[in-house]
Amino acid sequence: MAGRLKPLEVERETKPGKYADGGGLYLIVNGPTAKNWSYRYWKDGKERWHGLGSFKDVSLKDARLARDAARLRVKGDRNRPGVDIVQERRQAREEVKTAEVEAKAPTFEECAEEYIREHWSSWSNKHREQWPSSLKRYAYPTIGKLTMAEIWPSHIHDLLEPIWVSKRETANRVRGRIETIIAKNADIDDKDFRNPAQLTKQLREKLPKRPKRVIRHHPALPYADAAKFMGELGTAEGSAALALRFLIFTVCRTNEVVGARWTEIDRAYSTGPVWRIPGERMKMDQDHCVPLSQPALDILDEMSKGDQSELIFTNPEGQEFSENAMLAVLDRLGYPSSPSVRYMRFAVR
């Protein structure tokens, strides 16, 4: 198609503006050395400008050929419908950009390892053992190499299904840990975010039905035997025995006692001595203030003798006690039927 522009005019034109050649082809001049070709068309009621290249690289003749080819794509023919070539190019750029972002995005395993490192110093030995091992065994084989955007609820279903019934508590913890890690790495402003590890009705219905839980009450020390037990415990030697007595006097959990620190003890509080347990060491993540009776203070006085570490109760190596250390004290005293120290406290409270 012959146009209105002449090759010499195109070469000499320097005044900024849009110069039509016909058929939707324009020479767009932005300055003496900035001249580009563009094809103008309308699609779905919207004006579009499709770049065809710089005048330095594309002659007037080639620009017209490129215009004709672009117009055929926009209009289409019997064999193929017309396309919005500007939107097509924009979408292609977005896809490339998305691919580049996904290529740089960390995997679930990398995010999980980072989360573990961040919280390691505040975790108990039990958490330090269970978090890495449970994720490595049950989560990483399925989603470890996937980015957060690639994880779907079906992945969570597939990794939970084999253990959902046979290992109920493990499955619950693994799902919760995965949900936490994904939430940690989600965009706080993403209104469309949906955590694939959330226990939605869809996921619950797809997982195997669990049998009803059989309630079994933990053994408890008869109240009538409480005085005898406390007398025997008072004669037991070792820091673990003192820790058990402290647990009973404060009515706290085992992990809270074995992780107790001297900096948490406030003897000068206005209403009397207290033990301030920070929220990060509490089950409900809330600070907890425990009044200290005289027997509890006597135990602290006993533990303050000799070398002190950051912890109040330490094993012979100066490290945090295992939660089983107090159970061992019960075994030595002849009370092997009590599987959990925390239930011993309820019986003698």
Side-chain angles (χ1 to χ4, degrees), residues 119-283:
H119 294 79
W120 188 263
S121 61
S122 63
W123 279 351
S124 65
N125 288 335
K126 185 176 182 180
H127 273 69
R128 292 177 179 179
E129 177 183 352
Q130 290 184 348
W131 267 77
S133 62
S134 64
L135 292 175
K136 182 177 181 180
R137 182 172 183 179
Y138 300 111
Y140 292 170
T142 303
I143 62 174
K145 303 305 178 185
L146 301 180
T147 65
M148 296 300 174
E150 294 172 330
I151 299 175
W152 289 85
S154 57
H155 292 119
I156 309 302
H157 169 273
D158 292 345
L159 68 88
L160 289 178
E161 185 178 28
I163 60 173
W164 189 247
V165 174
S166 61
K167 299 180 179 180
R168 181 193 296 252
E169 292 304 321
T170 298
N172 290 343
R173 291 191 178 103
V174 168
R175 187 207 60 78
R177 288 163 186 167
I178 295 173
E179 183 180 15
T180 297
I181 293 167
I182 293 176
K184 173 72 173 178
N185 290 273
D187 183 354
I188 194 172
D189 293 322
D190 186 354
K191 297 179 180 179
D192 299 322
F193 171 72
R194 176 188 174 188
N195 197 315
Q198 182 180 356
L199 189 56
T200 59
K201 186 174 182 179
Q202 299 99 306
L203 178 58
R204 187 185 294 109
E205 289 298 321
K206 293 295 183 180
L207 289 166
K209 298 297 180 183
R210 286 172 165 174
K212 291 186 177 180
R213 188 188 296 271
V214 178
I215 300 177
R216 295 186 178 90
H217 296 291
H218 290 269
L221 182 73
Y223 179 78
D225 297 337
K228 176 177 177 290
F229 168 76
M230 291 302 294
E232 294 175 356
L233 180 59
T235 63
E237 298 181 353
S239 298
L242 289 171
L244 178 54
R245 291 177 62 205
F246 189 77
L247 178 147
I248 294 171
F249 292 141
T250 57
V251 199
C252 286
R253 296 177 180 274
T254 305
N255 65 309
E256 294 159 8
V257 172
V258 298
R261 288 160 169 75
W262 289 109
T263 55
E264 298 169 358
I265 305 300
D266 184 0
R267 290 177 178 261
Y269 190 60
S270 58
T271 59
V274 294
W275 172 24
R276 301 177 183 277
I277 310 175
E280 58 263 25
R281 294 208 300 108
M282 295 296 298
K283 184 177 181 179

